[in-house]
Amino acid sequence: MVLKKTQSLCPVCLERIDAEIVEEEEGVYLTKTCINHGNFKTALWKGSGDSFLIWDRDSENGGGPGGDLSKIRKGCPYDCGPCLVHTGGICVALVEVTHRCNMKCPICFASSPKDPASEPDIETIKHRYKIILKTGATPPLQLSGGEPTLRDDLPEIVAAAKDLGFEMIQINTNGLRLAEDRGYLSKLKENGVKVLYLQFDGVTDDVYRAIRGVPLADTKIKVIENCSNVGLGVVLVPTIVPGINDRQIGRIVQFAKQWMPVVRGVHFQPISYFGRYPQAPTDTERITLPEVLNALEKQTDGEVRVSDFKPRRSKDAHCAFAGFFVLGDDGALVSAFSPEVRVTAKSAPAVAVRNFLETYWSPVPKRCSCQPCLCEMDSVPDELLNWVQGHSLTISGMPFQDVWNIDLERLAGCCIHVVTDERLVPFCAYYLTSISGKRLYN
Ligand code: SF4
Ligand code: SF4
Ligand SMILES: [Zn+2]
């Protein structure tokens, strides 16, 4: 049964082609045909068609103020800027500060033929900040790479963003340097970094050996300890690869809980396929959003439940899920949205906490709807702010789209943008590659 007609891209020639989202017995698939390169079919949602449609039920435009930085010439996805018809707003702006990296992960979405020496200087980076400001917004800013901590001047890059008015400055990192160099970490914090997005694929070395090629479990713990010492929050970012770490989803949540309050959240990213591939990834090499949600419930023995998670507020809600939890007095996570929320900690009045959560997090966060953050907390009384920061954990996830499963309607609702020297490009368009590794952008 056809659930939706949309458009997608041919994985070979990157031409825009018609596509259908169809329900079959085993799940929901995206199917498409290029007249030159044949038929393609990819699993989108290993769950029922009903659950696919229900997830989208409350969708609406969202993601904060948008922009209109590019003219429409060839149509979506070739005119990103964002262009006039983009519906997604800007809830995170990502600036690549280097192409260098101290790891060689086979699954890296940023891997590219770019010359590592062609690193943007600080003036170019400031110029990119100003491109974001042209949209009239100062969204949460992620400094990314490559590995941004390879730059000795990263603290100055952070300070420059702060001077321009960016408040929620985040660093995407593998943590290698931050495990060893606490002085550098302190400087980042002093200069304005609010949260680290730490690559964190699991709690055991075999997972890191399989995904990253080296054992890193102790390194990750060292980073978190250092962050705890300097007072910097961490969001754990696991890339979930079927057959490798999908059985650790519950253990990652338990690990995060054990390290609260320095760990503020977990942001799961089901693996997507960017880069050069000799053949199409099979559906068993994919894990889809309902599978991650079911694993969360099953592997935590129901401590977090599928019903605790909300879709992203967006024209198409299939890009993300988020749940916001507080630590109950019995040491269990409780959804802040559940009717029976049991916020009974003595240090903060339950009603005030509930009101706070409803204001900022109901039913999904109003601004940073993809990656919940605490960026609107300035107006909250300090006592309550401290309580919430010390007792809350966000669990969220985003299945990025690749050339095999991309739905251009969904892309037009994207609110995570990579900033170039002229424009803002939705993340999944920016990193998208054809089967031979050719990129749409850069
Ligand atoms: S992805 Fe958005 S900004 Fe890019 S071309 Fe499509 S609608 Fe325009
Ligand atoms: S980055 Fe990709 S998955 Fe995330 S919101 Fe944008 S289009 Fe959706
Ligand atoms: Zn083609």
Side-chain angles (χ1 to χ4, degrees), residues 97-309:
V97 300
T98 183
H99 304 311
R100 288 184 287 147
C101 192
N102 44 8
M103 289 181 57
K104 286 200 177 98
C105 308
I107 60 164
C108 178
F109 56 70
S111 67
S112 69
K114 286 176 182 166
D115 174 8
S118 70
E119 196 158 83
D121 60 20
I122 193 157
E123 289 311 314
T124 305
I125 292 170
K126 283 187 198 165
H127 170 74
R128 292 181 186 171
Y129 294 159
K130 288 177 188 160
I131 299 268
I132 306 169
L133 297 179
K134 273 195 196 177
T135 66
T138 47
L141 178 71
Q142 284 202 353
L143 301 178
S144 189
E147 172 53 41
T149 64
L150 289 185
R151 283 191 74 142
D152 291 335
D153 62 350
L154 188 61
E156 289 80 63
I157 291 171
V158 169
K162 190 147 191 257
D163 287 347
L164 284 171
F166 292 95
E167 280 293 325
M168 176 49 75
I169 304 171
Q170 309 161 350
I171 306 280
N172 279 338
T173 180
N174 59 31
L176 255 52
R177 178 169 184 177
L178 304 178
E180 303 302 332
D181 193 345
R182 207 194 293 174
Y184 180 80
L185 182 67
S186 297
K187 195 82 193 139
L188 290 174
K189 157 110 195 316
E190 265 167 43
N191 285 16
V193 172
K194 289 277 169 62
V195 176
L196 285 189
Y197 272 69
L198 178 65
Q199 180 196 94
F200 187 94
D201 301 316
V203 296
T204 53
D205 275 336
D206 54 320
V207 164
Y208 291 100
R209 279 201 196 89
I211 300 182
R212 309 284 168 188
V214 278
L216 291 170
D218 288 346
T219 305
K220 304 295 174 181
I221 290 176
K222 268 198 218 154
V223 178
I224 296 167
E225 280 171 350
N226 285 347
C227 285
S228 179
N229 286 327
V230 306
L232 187 59
V234 178
V235 173
L236 307 178
V237 185
T239 298
I240 299 298
V241 185
I244 295 181
N245 60 349
D246 51 341
R247 298 221 178 115
Q248 289 207 358
I249 288 173
R251 288 173 76 185
I252 293 169
V253 170
Q254 295 307 328
F255 178 94
K257 197 169 94 173
Q258 179 193 334
W259 283 93
M260 288 171 69
V262 59
V263 170
R264 308 256 174 91
V266 187
H267 186 64
F268 291 100
Q269 296 181 339
I271 187 169
S272 43
Y273 291 91
F274 299 100
R276 194 188 300 266
Y277 284 90
Q279 63 213 18
T282 64
D283 287 341
T284 51
E285 292 171 307
R286 292 185 183 276
I287 177 164
T288 63
L289 192 147
E291 293 168 279
V292 176
L293 291 178
N294 288 330
L296 275 164
E297 178 165 322
K298 197 163 167 215
Q299 294 178 22
T300 60
D301 292 327
E303 184 175 346
V304 303
R305 294 165 301 183
V306 174
S307 56
D308 296 334
F309 295 94

Side-chain angles (χ1 to χ4, degrees), residues 312 319 370 398-401 410-411 414-416 427-428:
R312 204 195 125 196
C319 280
C370 289
M398 174 165 288
F400 292 124
Q401 305 190 82
R410 184 176 142 195
L411 181 72
C414 177
C415 70
I416 313 260
F427 185 100
C428 288

